[in-house]
Amino acid sequence: MTIPETSKTGNSSSLPSVFAVSNIKNHVSITLGMDNDQYRLWVALFTNYAKANRVLHHIIDPKQKAPKPKTDEEQELWDTIDATVLQWIYATISTDLLQIVVEDDSTAMECWDRIRDIFQDNQHSRAVTLEQEFSHTMLAYFSNASAYCQRLKNLADQLKNVGSPVSDSRVVLQLVSGLTDAYHGVGTIIRQASPLPPFYRARSMLTLEEAGFTK
């Protein structure tokens, strides 16, 4: 049976490293909730840490399933490790999400799959909503260019998190299309550049232009 790597003490009875984790939030630093778009980031952090502790097979079905425990002792160890990974999941999701996915006698993989299904079902509707907001974001709605640029960047990040990434060039073009008349000059420079400047540079050009308005 595949079990996590034990601590390097030279003692064959050493506990698997998974049991040494005192606070999973030190390693999975975000709390996944129903109302945020951080599922992909949460998955990346969680699976990386599970892999580091050699318990990834408790949440993601490998191509070849690990052999079933052959003895009562192996089964007890497997169940204990699985319960620990399940506790990691519970500790890194919001109370609202926890109330939806928690079930009696659930394995870590069953809980993992329920969370995956919830967010995959939500992805398409979230992507449509975010895409509409991204396409209609304009500078006139914001107090300054920095806030405008930050909102576009946040929306682009959220679209990526729901599986609908937008290219850096498209973010720049959306930034230019939403400018007010006061920024017409710098907008034309950005639009006509070949190749288009990266988003961070276009943002700097806008903020410099805005700073010049007050002089």
Side-chain angles (χ1 to χ4, degrees), residues 93-131:
I93 63 178
S94 69
T95 301
D96 289 345
L97 183 55
L98 177 62
Q99 291 174 343
I100 295 173
V101 301
V102 68
E103 288 188 9
D104 294 339
D105 301 321
S106 176
T107 66
M109 188 176 294
E110 288 169 347
C111 182
W112 183 267
D113 288 346
R114 284 194 293 273
I115 294 173
R116 179 201 61 204
D117 292 343
I118 287 170
F119 281 89
Q120 284 185 343
D121 289 344
N122 288 341
Q123 276 188 345
H124 295 305
S125 59
R126 286 290 296 146
V128 170
T129 300
L130 289 167
E131 177 66 37

Side-chain angles (χ1 to χ4, degrees), residues 9 25 47 52 62 71 92 107-109 115-116 119 122 127 145 147 151 154-155 182 203 207:
T9 62
K25 288 195 171 185
T47 55
T71 66
T92 56
T107 66
M109 188 176 294
I115 294 173
R116 179 201 61 204
F119 281 89
N122 288 341
R151 183 55 182 164
N154 289 344
L155 288 169
R203 180 187 183 280
T207 54

Side-chain angles (χ1 to χ4, degrees), residues 26-79:
N26 289 335
H27 309 281
V28 182
S29 56
I30 65 172
T31 299
L32 180 66
M34 290 294 298
D35 58 347
N36 64 39
D37 300 299
Q38 295 183 310
Y39 173 68
R40 286 177 177 267
L41 176 58
W42 179 80
V43 167
L45 293 174
F46 200 104
T47 55
N48 182 68
Y49 193 65
K51 185 177 182 180
N53 283 276
R54 301 183 66 184
V55 294
L56 188 61
H57 54 288
H58 279 265
I59 56 174
I60 297 177
D61 206 6
K63 293 181 179 179
Q64 294 184 342
K65 293 184 178 180
K68 293 183 179 180
K70 297 179 180 179
T71 66
D72 290 344
E73 183 178 3
E74 286 184 349
Q75 184 65 61
E76 182 179 4
L77 177 59
W78 176 273
D79 291 343

Side-chain angles (χ1 to χ4, degrees), residues 4 11 87 98 108 131 138 145 149 168-169 175 188 199 205:
N11 185 347
Q87 288 178 335
L98 177 62
E131 177 66 37
M138 295 183 288
C149 293
D168 189 76
S169 294
L175 179 150
T188 299
F199 176 77
M205 294 170 70

Side-chain angles (χ1 to χ4, degrees), residues 81-209:
I81 293 173
D82 198 73
T84 301
V85 176
L86 183 60
Q87 288 178 335
W88 290 0
I89 296 175
Y90 289 164
T92 56
I93 63 178
S94 69
T95 301
D96 289 345
L97 183 55
L98 177 62
Q99 291 174 343
I100 295 173
V101 301
V102 68
E103 288 188 9
D104 294 339
D105 301 321
S106 176
T107 66
M109 188 176 294
E110 288 169 347
C111 182
W112 183 267
D113 288 346
R114 284 194 293 273
I115 294 173
R116 179 201 61 204
D117 292 343
I118 287 170
F119 281 89
Q120 284 185 343
D121 289 344
N122 288 341
Q123 276 188 345
H124 295 305
S125 59
R126 286 290 296 146
V128 170
T129 300
L130 289 167
E131 177 66 37
Q132 289 177 342
E133 184 175 353
F134 178 79
S135 299
H136 292 86
T137 298
M138 295 183 288
L139 177 57
Y141 301 148
F142 296 87
S143 59
N144 55 55
S146 292
Y148 169 59
C149 293
Q150 187 59 50
R151 183 55 182 164
L152 283 174
K153 179 65 166 57
N154 289 344
L155 288 169
D157 290 343
Q158 290 180 53
L159 281 164
K160 181 180 179 181
N161 287 337
V162 296
S164 298
V166 294
S167 67
D168 189 76
S169 294
R170 186 172 170 220
V171 180
V172 172
L173 290 173
Q174 181 58 42
L175 179 150
V176 172
S177 68
L179 294 177
T180 59
D181 290 342
Y183 293 82
H184 176 76
V186 67
T188 299
I189 293 172
I190 295 172
R191 185 186 298 109
Q192 293 181 349
S194 181
L196 283 172
F199 176 77
Y200 76 88
R201 187 172 298 166
R203 180 187 183 280
S204 295
M205 294 170 70
L206 284 190
T207 54
L208 284 173
E209 182 79 1

